[in-house]
Amino acid sequence: MNAEKIPDIIIGRMPVYLRALQRMAEKGMQTTSSQELGERVSISAAQIRKDISQFGEFGKQGMGYNIPFLLDKLRAILKVDRIWDVALVGAGDMGHALARYQGFSNRGFRIVMVFDNDAAKIGQKAGEFTVQDAADMAEKIRAAGVTVAMMTVPAAAAQEVADKLAQAGVKAILNYAPISINVPPDVKVQHIDPATHLQRMTYYL
Amino acid sequence: MNAEKIPDIIIGRMPVYLRALQRMAEKGMQTTSSQELGERVSISAAQIRKDISQFGEFGKQGMGYNIPFLLDKLRAILKVDRIWDVALVGAGDMGHALARYQGFSNRGFRIVMVFDNDAAKIGQKAGEFTVQDAADMAEKIRAAGVTVAMMTVPAAAAQEVADKLAQAGVKAILNYAPISINVPPDVKVQHIDPATHLQRMTYYL
């Protein structure tokens, strides 16, 4: 692996390549080219070659990429050659949808606990999980060694929840609340906010 | 407005600034600085000044930004000084969560129709909407002049649905299916895929 720090924008494209390669593998494909992969993900072949070469020599000139080999490499690079336990905070509509979502397990993640602070939700089911009291969240997350979390809480509660997650040892937070949250430097945050994504497109309309 | 094409990465930050400014306005704040805004969105003050200056002179040196004025400008730039009608395709768990989501209306969007191809879902409620047969999707979208859509369909169906949406005149697609979709050059796509976002963070853990 390159000793230089690899730009975050390149890191951000790696999961997209991994997803496309996984789908190719599921279809029984054994090899691909940067051209073919590029068409699937709408990224130029040159960009793909450049991005992947940051991590090593994973393809052969004129031979393309061996899909199972590249999958293994990308999974190791993104550290999803293992399964990460994930805590879900917020058992509203979006939390329920995520708790029931089947798309995590073959991509390196599994939800293991669901929290909410609403007495009407605590003890109820969210997918296969029983919603636990958010008051005990920090201890339970810390005891289980969970370092990845998703937050589907109202905007007004998001910063406080993020603070508690960081204190509990969480190092990666996927935030569905429509607000930016501040976290310590050693904690990563990604935001999912459909209105933000839509506004990014309406600019061009 | 700058005659040069403004980089997409800058466009992508504008909705984040808009969201933070909206929250400030809701709290009754009248002015802010690039420093203050930057702390809220975890982006440097210099970057914020540079980004916003791409679109015009909206702040005064040493005076900061007038929040209502900047809000108006950003809403106009992102074209959310109006309400966009949105078609939602896919009435599964995620579709239901989006159909019930309250966070669109004050940010420029409202869902107006929900489609699915599952006979068990057609005619049922998703939020306040009655799920319509996806077979009639193209005509209904075209007749209503809807140009923005969200897709919460299985990966295997995503490309076909995207093709139909593009043919129906949709110009902006927010895709929740965990697969890259290809669209004509005049159609914008954004992807929301929690596993992709999580993988982008586990790289750093």
Side-chain angles (χ1 to χ4, degrees):
Chain A
M1 188 168 309
N2 200 316
E4 304 276 312
K5 190 172 180 298
I6 295 169
D8 184 61
I9 192 147
I10 295 180
I11 306 306
R13 287 192 288 264
M14 288 295 139
V16 177
Y17 302 156
L18 175 57
R19 187 174 66 179
L21 289 163
Q22 246 179 308
R23 193 155 297 273
M24 290 176 175
E26 284 163 11
K27 291 189 174 174
M29 293 172 62
Q30 286 293 317
T31 59
T32 189
S33 63
S34 50
Q35 285 77 8
E36 186 177 48
L37 181 55
E39 282 164 22
R40 292 193 173 225
V41 299
S42 302
I43 294 174
S44 77
Q47 183 73 65
I48 288 174
R49 285 195 299 274
K50 194 177 159 197
D51 286 352
I52 292 176
S53 71
Q54 299 276 319
F55 301 93
E57 287 297 324
F58 300 152
K60 290 205 182 83
Q61 191 86 43
M63 297 282 285
Y65 298 105
N66 176 285
I67 292 175
F69 175 79
L70 187 54
L71 270 180
D72 279 353
K73 291 293 182 186
L74 290 187
R75 285 200 184 100
I77 288 165
L78 294 171
K79 302 198 181 81
V80 288
D81 51 356
R82 68 212 75 174
I83 300 288
W84 294 86
D85 288 344
V86 178
L88 173 62
V89 188
D93 290 327
M94 190 60 66
H96 274 267
L98 289 172
R100 292 164 56 95
Y101 185 58
Q102 298 300 309
F104 289 122
S105 59
N106 67 340
R107 298 179 66 196
F109 305 95
R110 72 172 164 216
I111 293 172
V112 294
M113 42 183 80
V114 179
F115 297 98
D116 204 290
N117 68 354
D118 180 349
K121 290 177 184 156
I122 296 164
Q124 301 297 308
K125 284 282 178 187
E128 62 179 290
F129 306 97
T130 301
V131 178
Q132 304 182 67
D133 188 344
D136 308 325
M137 183 169 78
E139 302 84 68
K140 287 187 173 160
I141 287 174
R142 188 176 286 284
V146 170
T147 56
V148 179
M150 298 192 288
M151 291 175 30
T152 56
V153 301
Q159 186 60 55
E160 188 186 338
V161 169
D163 291 346
K164 283 188 186 165
L165 290 173
Q167 286 159 16
V170 168
K171 299 298 180 196
I173 299 174
L174 182 53
N175 173 33
Y176 279 78
I179 187 171
S180 297
I181 53 173
N182 299 118
V183 291
D186 66 332
V187 178
K188 291 281 167 186
V189 178
Q190 288 273 306
H191 294 89
I192 287 184
D193 176 358
T196 299
H197 282 83
L198 290 169
Q199 289 175 348
R200 183 174 185 161
M201 295 189 283
T202 50
Y203 170 80
Y204 295 100
L205 299 191
Chain B
M1 190 167 310
N2 201 316
E4 304 276 311
K5 190 172 182 296
I6 295 168
D8 184 62
I9 192 146
I10 294 180
I11 306 306
R13 286 192 286 264
M14 288 295 138
V16 177
Y17 303 157
L18 174 56
R19 185 174 67 178
L21 288 163
Q22 247 179 309
R23 193 155 297 273
M24 289 177 175
E26 284 163 11
K27 290 188 175 175
M29 292 171 63
Q30 286 291 317
T31 59
T32 189
S33 62
S34 50
Q35 284 78 8
E36 187 178 47
L37 181 55
E39 282 163 21
R40 292 192 173 226
V41 299
S42 302
I43 295 174
S44 77
Q47 183 72 65
I48 288 174
R49 286 195 300 273
K50 194 177 158 196
D51 286 352
I52 292 176
S53 71
Q54 299 278 317
F55 301 92
E57 287 297 323
F58 299 152
K60 291 206 181 83
Q61 192 87 44
M63 297 282 287
Y65 297 106
N66 177 284
I67 292 175
F69 175 79
L70 187 55
L71 269 179
D72 279 353
K73 292 293 182 186
L74 290 186
R75 284 199 184 103
I77 288 165
L78 296 171
K79 302 199 181 81
V80 288
D81 51 357
R82 67 212 75 174
I83 300 288
W84 295 86
D85 288 345
V86 179
L88 173 62
V89 189
D93 290 327
M94 191 60 66
H96 273 267
L98 288 172
R100 293 164 55 94
Y101 185 60
Q102 298 299 307
F104 290 122
S105 60
N106 67 339
R107 297 179 67 196
F109 305 96
R110 71 172 164 215
I111 293 172
V112 294
M113 43 183 81
V114 179
F115 298 98
D116 204 291
N117 68 354
D118 180 350
K121 289 176 184 156
I122 296 165
Q124 302 297 308
K125 284 282 180 186
E128 61 178 291
F129 306 97
T130 301
V131 179
Q132 304 183 66
D133 189 344
D136 309 326
M137 184 169 77
E139 302 84 70
K140 286 186 174 160
I141 287 173
R142 188 175 288 283
V146 170
T147 56
V148 179
M150 298 193 289
M151 292 174 29
T152 56
V153 302
Q159 187 59 55
E160 188 187 336
V161 169
D163 292 345
K164 283 188 185 164
L165 290 173
Q167 285 159 16
V170 167
K171 299 298 178 195
I173 299 174
L174 182 54
N175 173 35
Y176 279 79
I179 188 171
S180 297
I181 54 173
N182 299 118
V183 292
D186 66 331
V187 178
K188 291 280 166 187
V189 178
Q190 288 272 306
H191 295 88
I192 287 183
D193 175 358
T196 299
H197 282 83
L198 289 170
Q199 289 176 347
R200 183 175 184 160
M201 295 189 282
T202 49
Y203 170 80
Y204 295 98
L205 299 192

